[in-house]
């Protein structure tokens, strides 16, 4: 029940905001008080306006009038000067023309100001809160009841004055004349009931002081002229009785208006303060969105446009003597439905709703649960249609040209809708191509939508080119349609490549190149069409129909669709070119090295039949590493710079802030190296040291060949570690620098030993392994985040 109540209140709120739009629409119909009909000033000073709705012709008329009047003023001034010198009087006809011109300009200015004030007031009423809107309508209805009562009383008095005395018939009980269908009694009976009803309603809704005596007297005040008409009173009294009857309601309305004037100013100021605070806290866009939802603008516009067209249809049915034809009726309704800016807004809301449900239907057909895209379809379609209406001057055209322009705008909107539908189906195609066990139903539905997107623009172009000669509009529609076809073909080609890759058992290294070439082709075609549409719009702007809105839209198109796209495409191309150059400079792994590595790529986790070796001896697929280089130049595992700024492999980066890995230590961490001298001094049976070396090798991307090799590696590290002097305050292990706190913690577990300069006092193997394990744990925690709980437990064991 609460849901129904909420919907009913929402509908009432929408209906209450519609009259404000009708007021604005009627003011726009008369062109804001500006002259829109043929005007003539004496001697042909005013131009003739052939199209009442054409603002361009009106402007031309005003310009011609101003120029002619200025010339006449100059002529009059010259004649006055000539009269002053020659004694000839001034030209009285020119003075009369000037007076008429200034009178015309003054009246036009006054009408424009009144219309502007009316539009502003209607807009303010439209934006009121619902409770304030109810108060406004209560006041308007109460004042309207006063004038309606006055008109009803005047009509009833005219009937009574022309007929026999009603009081005599009542006193004499002349039932024959009282019950006569054409008699006075039955004629004024509806007026009596209407006056009583209006008096009761006024007493209930008026905003003036509501005293008991006044409330009871109000219905009798509305009925007073009819009661007085039954008495034998002079005609002068009866003629002025309706005005006296309206005196009390008018006084109450005046009091209500005066008492609420301060509240009106307070409401306006509080609304302004609320909007200002909201905009300062959340931004102007959030304020507009909040007010858009509060006012329910789309529903109000749809209700306004529907009521407007219904009124137009009823008027056509009443005034037409012959049966209406369907095509002609639809054409007339569409033409009248876009003759003003408010009417175009209403049509835009209807088109937005239609496009919204079209997108929703395609989403449902594609079995997609993401409804954000179809919502944007309705919004973007509405914005596009309204911009096209403003750009083409839809409201300023004659009815025949307006219908043609409306059809052309709808064709452009259809092609834009096809683009939006492609944006829905393209991600679904990509997700289906990557799935290994997809639903064939979803594949079939997505391919059917692609077929629809291919056949619809082809059919539209065949119809348009068969019925119309080449023009700038037709070229624009053709460009948009061909662009849709190219985008769909690119999506299908990419979908096919990914589908083939999903069915392969091995890694397809050329896939990224093929996808890049296909998408680059599609983007290049779109970019070329963007340039073509820019020149097409420039031709229209210069030679066909110019305008500030068209020029502004061309600037926006040139910036976003040409400049930004070109810059983004060039940036992607340069990144790819740089990455390819860097990858080509890296050595290719031999089959023996891949066999010795015997691991997957750390980026894609796929088997490697070929690989690139970085300067830090890590193995990656060339394609995977190239994609990684689009983001950053550091190794995905150890975060070392892959190559210097000059693109050549070197010993280490300059200005990196960290010490590079020594060649000797890098060789120690490489697989296949022999056991260096002194490795026998270490205890190879230390399981924690062996597992630590294995983990370091795995994290570094190097797979140890055997457990013996691991123990030999950790022994080599232990035998070659050196502790720097206390002045440096840090411990260097395998080229990595450990802070003094970690070094102190590590050395605290070993036996006391004298360390000075480069001389290192040998310690037992177990103590050396403990120092090394603690150092390795710190290095690994500093340069690598553990990926699993086992690695974290291992690091805890090392410490």
């Amino acid at each position: 029940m609460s849901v129904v109540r909420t919907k009913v209140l929402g509908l009432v709120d929408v209906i209450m905001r519609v009259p404000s739009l009708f007021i604005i629409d009627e003011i726009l119909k008369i062109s804001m008080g500006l002259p829109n009909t043929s005007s003539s000033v004496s001697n042909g000073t005013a131009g003739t306006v052939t199209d009442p709705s054409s603002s361009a012709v009106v402007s031309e008329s005003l310009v011609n009038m101003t120029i002619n009047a200025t010339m006449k003023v100059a002529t009059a001034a010259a004649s006055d000067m000539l009269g002053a010198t020659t004694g000839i009087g001034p030209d009285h006809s020119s003075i009369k023309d000037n007076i008429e011109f200034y009178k015309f300009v003054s009246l036009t200015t006054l009408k424009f100001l009144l219309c502007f004030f009316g539009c502003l007031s209607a807009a303010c009423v439209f934006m009121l809160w619902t409770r304030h809107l109810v108060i406004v309508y209560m006041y308007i209805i109460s004042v309207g009841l006063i004038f309606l009562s006055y008109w009803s009383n005047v009509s009833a008095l005219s009937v009574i004055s022309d007929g026999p005395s009603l009081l005599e018939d009542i006193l004499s009980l002349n039932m024959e004349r009282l019950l006569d269908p054409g008699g006075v009694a039955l004629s004024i009976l509806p007026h009596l009931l209407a006056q009583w009803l209006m008096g009761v309603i006024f007493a209930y809704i008026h905003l003036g002081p509501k005293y008991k005596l006044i409330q009871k007297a109000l219905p009798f005040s509305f009925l007073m002229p009819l009661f007085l008409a039954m008495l034998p009173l002079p005609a002068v009294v009866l003629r002025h009785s309706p005005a006296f009857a309206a005196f009390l309601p008018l006084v109450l309305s005046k009091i209500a208006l005066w008492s609420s004037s301060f509240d009106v100013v307070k409401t306006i100021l509080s609304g302004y303060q609320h909007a200002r605070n909201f905009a300062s806290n959340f931004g102007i866009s959030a304020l507009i969105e909040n007010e858009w939802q509060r006012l329910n603008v789309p529903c109000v516009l749809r209700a306004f446009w529907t009521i407007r067209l219904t009124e137009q249809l009823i008027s056509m049915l009443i005034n037409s003597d012959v049966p209406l034809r369907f095509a002609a009726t639809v054409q007339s309704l569409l033409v009248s439905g876009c003759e003003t800016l408010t009417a175009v807004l209403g049509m835009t809301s209807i088109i937005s709703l239609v496009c919204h449900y079209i997108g929703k239907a395609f989403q449902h057909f594609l079995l997609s649960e993401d409804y954000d895209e179809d919502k944007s379809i309705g919004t973007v379609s509405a914005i596009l249609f309204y911009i096209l209406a403003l750009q083409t001057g839809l409201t300023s055209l004659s009815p025949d040209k307006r219908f043609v322009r409306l059809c052309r705008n709808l064709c452009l909107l259809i092609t834009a809708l096809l683009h939006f539908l492609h944006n829905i189906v393209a991600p679904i195609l990509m997700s289906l191509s990557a799935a290994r066990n997809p639903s064939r139903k979803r594949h079939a539905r997505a391919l059917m939508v692609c077929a629809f997107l291919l056949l619809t623009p082809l059919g539209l172009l065949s119809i348009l080119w068969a019925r119309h000669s080449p023009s700038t509009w037709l070229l624009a529609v053709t460009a948009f349609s061909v662009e849709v076809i190219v985008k769909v073909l690119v999506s299908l080609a990419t979908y096919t490549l990914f589908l083939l890759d999903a069915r392969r058992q091995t890694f397809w290294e050329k896939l990224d190149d093929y996808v890049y070439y296909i998408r680059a082709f599609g983007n290049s075609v779109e970019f070329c069409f963007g340039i073509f549409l820019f020149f097409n719009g420039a031709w229209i702007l210069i030679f066909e129909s110019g305008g500030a809105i068209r020029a502004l839209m061309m600037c926006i198109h040139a910036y976003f669709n040409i400049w930004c796209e070109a810059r983004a495409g060039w940036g992607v191309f340069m990144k790819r070119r740089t990455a390819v150059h860097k990858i080509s400079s890296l050595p290719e792994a031999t089959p023996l090295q891949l066999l010795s590595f015997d691991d997957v790529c750390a980026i894609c986790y796929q088997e490697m039949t070929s690989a690139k070796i970085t300067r830090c001896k890590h193995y990656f697929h060339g394609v995977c590493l190239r994609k990684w280089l689009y983001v950053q130049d550091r190794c995905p595992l150890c975060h070392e710079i892959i190559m210097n700024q000059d693109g050549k492999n070197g010993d280490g980066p300059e200005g990196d802030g960290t010490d590079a890995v020594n060649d000797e230590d890098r060789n120690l961490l490489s697989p296949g190296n022999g056991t260096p001298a002194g490795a026998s001094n270490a205890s190879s049976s230390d399981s924690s040291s062996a597992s630590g070396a294995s983990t370091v090798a795995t994290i570094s991307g190097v797979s140890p060949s055997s457990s013996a090799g691991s123990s030999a590696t950790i022994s080599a590290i232990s035998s070659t570690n050196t502790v720097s002097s206390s002045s440096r305050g840090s411990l260097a292990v395998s080229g990595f620098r450990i802070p003094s706190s970690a070094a102190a913690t590590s050395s605290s577990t070993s036996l006391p030993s004298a360390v000075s300069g480069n001389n290192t006092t040998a310690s037992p193997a177990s103590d050396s392994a403990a120092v090394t394990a603690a150092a390795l744990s710190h290095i690994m925690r500093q340069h690598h985040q553990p990926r699993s709980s086992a690695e974290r437990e291992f690091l805890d064991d090392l410490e």
Side-chain angles (χ1 to χ4, degrees):
M1 196 65 185
S2 60
V3 177
V4 176
R5 182 175 179 273
T6 303
K7 290 185 178 180
V8 171
L9 291 179
L11 179 62
V12 171
D13 182 74
V14 168
I15 296 300
M16 285 194 300
R17 300 186 189 278
V18 169
S20 300
L21 295 181
F22 272 103
I23 294 174
I24 297 175
D25 186 65
E26 292 298 327
I27 292 176
L28 292 178
K29 278 185 180 180
I30 61 175
S31 301
M32 297 290 292
L34 296 176
N36 57 354
T37 57
S38 299
S39 303
S40 60
V41 183
S42 58
N43 297 331
T45 55
T48 302
V49 181
T50 58
D51 182 11
S53 62
S54 177
S55 59
V57 181
V58 170
S59 302
E60 183 180 357
S61 172
L62 292 176
V63 170
N64 292 335
M65 185 184 302
T66 306
I67 293 175
N68 293 332
T70 305
M71 292 177 63
K72 286 186 175 293
V73 169
T75 304
S79 63
D80 291 341
M81 294 176 62
L82 182 63
T85 55
T86 61
I88 302 176
D91 188 0
H92 295 285
S93 61
S94 62
I95 296 176
K96 183 179 179 180
D97 292 341
N98 294 334
I99 293 174
E100 292 294 329
F101 170 73
Y102 290 130
K103 185 187 297 183
F104 171 78
V105 172
S106 302
L107 291 176
T108 302
T109 304
L110 180 61
K111 289 179 182 179
F112 176 78
L113 292 177
L114 290 176
C115 291
F116 178 77
F117 178 76
C119 285
L120 186 62
S121 302
C124 292
V125 171
F126 176 81
M127 297 181 66
L128 287 175
W129 292 88
T130 305
R131 61 180 184 274
H132 298 146
L133 199 60
V134 170
I135 295 174
V136 170
Y137 275 106
M138 289 175 64
Y139 184 81
I140 292 175
I141 292 174
S142 62
V143 175
L145 287 175
I146 296 174
F147 289 98
L148 185 61
S149 172
Y150 178 83
W151 173 80
S152 178
N153 282 324
V154 171
S155 301
L157 289 177
S158 64
V159 174
I160 294 176
S161 61
D162 296 338
S165 176
L166 185 61
L167 182 61
E168 294 179 1
D169 293 339
I170 294 175
L171 293 178
S172 62
L173 297 178
N174 190 349
M175 303 304 295
E176 182 180 357
R177 284 201 299 184
L178 288 175
L179 298 178
D180 184 12
V184 178
L186 295 180
S187 298
I188 68 170
L189 185 60
H191 291 277
L192 287 170
L193 295 176
Q195 292 294 336
W196 176 261
L197 183 61
M198 286 186 289
V200 172
I201 294 175
F202 183 86
Y204 180 75
I205 67 172
H206 80 89
L207 302 175
K210 295 186 178 181
Y211 301 107
K212 284 187 177 181
L213 183 60
I214 294 177
Q215 292 294 100
K216 292 180 180 179
L218 279 174
F220 296 100
S221 174
F222 280 78
L223 289 169
M224 184 184 66
L226 298 181
F227 290 153
L228 293 177
M230 299 179 186
L231 301 176
L233 295 175
V236 178
V237 176
L238 295 179
R239 188 168 61 250
H240 292 90
S241 60
F244 286 109
F247 179 76
L248 178 60
L250 282 175
V251 169
L252 294 176
S253 299
K254 294 280 187 179
I255 294 174
L257 180 62
W258 176 256
S259 61
S260 60
S261 59
F262 298 100
D263 295 333
V264 171
V265 176
K266 185 178 179 181
T267 301
I268 294 175
L269 292 178
S270 62
Y272 170 76
Q273 191 67 28
H274 168 74
R276 183 177 179 181
N277 293 335
F278 196 96
S280 61
N281 293 330
F282 304 101
I284 298 178
S285 60
L287 174 64
I288 295 175
E289 183 178 358
N290 181 66
E291 293 299 310
W292 187 272
Q293 294 178 357
R294 179 181 68 84
L295 300 174
N296 204 358
V297 176
C299 292
V300 176
L301 290 174
R302 290 172 198 140
F304 160 73
W305 197 75
T306 304
I307 295 173
R308 193 178 190 277
L309 255 68
T310 304
E311 178 189 359
Q312 183 74 14
L313 180 60
I314 294 174
S315 176
M316 291 173 61
L317 291 174
I318 294 175
N319 298 328
S320 179
D321 298 331
V322 296
L324 298 176
R325 292 183 301 173
F326 179 77
T329 304
V330 172
Q331 179 177 348
S332 178
L333 291 177
L334 290 177
V335 168
S336 63
C338 59
E339 61 181 346
T340 60
L341 292 178
T342 50
V344 173
L345 280 173
M347 181 180 288
T348 301
S349 65
I350 297 295
I351 290 176
S352 173
L353 185 65
V354 172
C355 294
H356 167 77
Y357 280 109
I358 289 175
K360 196 170 183 179
F362 273 90
Q363 288 275 3
H364 180 71
F365 180 78
L366 291 169
L367 303 177
S368 176
E369 298 179 356
D370 185 12
Y371 291 99
D372 292 337
E373 187 66 30
D374 70 278
K375 290 180 182 179
S376 67
I377 283 181
T379 304
V380 177
S381 300
I383 296 174
L384 177 61
F385 178 79
Y386 197 72
I387 289 177
L388 285 174
L390 295 178
Q391 183 174 315
T392 55
L394 191 63
T395 58
S396 62
L397 299 174
S398 62
D400 294 337
K401 293 181 179 180
R402 190 185 305 154
F403 180 74
V404 174
R405 177 56 61 185
L406 179 63
C407 293
R408 292 182 175 182
N409 290 351
L410 290 177
C411 288
L412 289 171
L413 185 64
I414 289 173
T415 57
L417 183 61
L418 296 177
H419 281 269
F420 301 148
L421 295 178
H422 170 262
N423 292 337
I424 293 177
V425 73
I428 296 177
L429 278 176
M430 295 302 101
S431 63
L432 290 176
S433 62
R436 292 189 176 274
N437 295 316
S439 173
R440 293 186 178 182
K441 182 189 297 185
R442 297 194 64 186
H443 278 271
R445 289 172 181 259
L447 293 177
M448 288 173 63
V449 172
C450 290
F452 171 79
L453 294 178
L454 289 175
L455 296 177
T456 302
L458 290 176
L460 180 64
L461 289 180
S462 61
I463 294 174
L464 292 179
W465 279 95
R467 297 187 177 184
H468 299 277
S469 58
S471 61
T472 53
W473 161 78
L474 189 56
L475 292 176
V477 175
T478 304
F480 281 120
S481 301
V482 174
E483 187 176 351
V484 170
I485 295 173
V486 171
K487 290 171 69 174
V488 174
L489 292 177
V490 167
S491 298
L492 288 175
T494 309
Y495 161 79
T496 305
L497 290 176
F498 280 114
L499 201 63
L500 294 176
D501 179 66
R503 300 301 184 270
R504 289 172 60 95
Q505 299 298 328
T506 58
F507 183 73
W508 191 3
E509 293 191 9
K510 293 296 183 179
L511 174 64
D512 181 70
D513 295 331
Y514 296 152
V515 172
Y516 174 78
Y517 295 147
I518 292 174
R519 290 181 175 174
F521 169 75
N523 293 333
S524 300
V525 172
E526 292 182 30
F527 181 74
C528 293
F529 276 122
I531 297 177
F532 171 77
L533 290 174
F534 176 79
F535 285 109
N536 187 65
W539 179 274
I540 297 174
L541 180 66
I542 297 174
F543 298 103
E544 294 185 7
S545 60
I549 298 178
R550 185 182 294 275
L552 177 63
M553 295 308 299
M554 284 188 59
C555 295
I556 295 175
H557 170 75
Y559 178 74
F560 288 101
N561 295 338
I562 296 179
W563 168 249
C564 290
E565 291 295 329
R567 186 175 58 182
W570 182 257
V572 172
F573 172 74
M574 292 305 297
K575 284 183 179 180
R576 184 180 179 86
R577 179 183 178 185
T578 304
V580 169
H581 174 70
K582 291 180 179 179
I583 293 299
S584 62
S585 62
L586 295 176
E588 187 80 19
T590 62
L592 183 60
Q593 289 176 319
L594 291 175
L595 182 62
S596 175
F597 180 71
D598 191 21
D599 204 346
V600 297
C601 175
I603 297 177
C604 67
Y605 298 104
Q606 299 291 328
E607 296 291 339
M608 289 192 295
T609 58
S610 63
K612 290 288 186 177
I613 306 176
T614 62
R615 56 180 300 197
C616 49
K617 300 302 180 182
H618 293 150
Y619 291 65
F620 303 99
H621 284 129
V623 177
C624 299
L625 191 58
R626 183 174 60 194
K627 293 179 181 179
W628 178 268
L629 289 177
Y630 293 162
V631 182
Q632 58 177 330
D633 292 336
R634 294 183 177 272
C635 176
L637 290 177
C638 65
H639 300 287
E640 183 182 358
I641 294 180
I642 294 179
M643 58 182 59
N644 291 332
Q645 299 297 328
D646 56 358
K648 298 179 181 180
N649 292 331
D651 294 335
E654 296 180 1
D656 188 35
T658 59
D659 294 336
V661 181
N662 297 329
D663 292 337
E664 180 183 358
D665 297 330
R666 189 183 297 112
N667 293 330
L668 290 174
L669 290 174
S670 302
N673 292 330
T675 303
S680 57
N681 297 330
S683 175
S684 61
S685 61
D686 193 345
S687 59
S688 63
S689 301
S691 60
S694 178
T695 305
V696 172
T698 303
I699 295 174
S700 304
V702 181
S703 177
S705 58
S706 63
S707 59
S710 302
S711 60
T713 303
I714 192 65
S715 302
I717 295 176
S718 302
S719 63
T720 56
N721 284 339
T722 58
V723 180
S724 60
S725 61
S726 58
S727 60
R728 297 181 61 184
S730 62
L731 177 66
V733 179
S734 296
F736 295 95
R737 189 170 303 283
I738 305 174
S740 57
S741 59
T745 304
S746 302
S747 58
S748 64
T749 59
S750 60
L751 294 176
S753 59
V755 181
S756 61
N758 295 327
N759 297 325
T760 304
T761 304
S763 61
S766 60
D767 297 331
S768 177
V771 174
T772 305
L776 287 175
S777 174
H778 182 82
I779 293 170
M780 291 159 63
R781 288 188 184 276
Q782 182 179 3
H783 295 275
H784 173 71
Q785 286 293 106
R787 299 181 181 178
S788 63
S789 59
E791 293 182 2
R792 289 192 292 269
E793 292 176 359
F794 167 72
L795 293 178
D796 295 337
D797 293 339
L798 283 181
E799 292 180 350

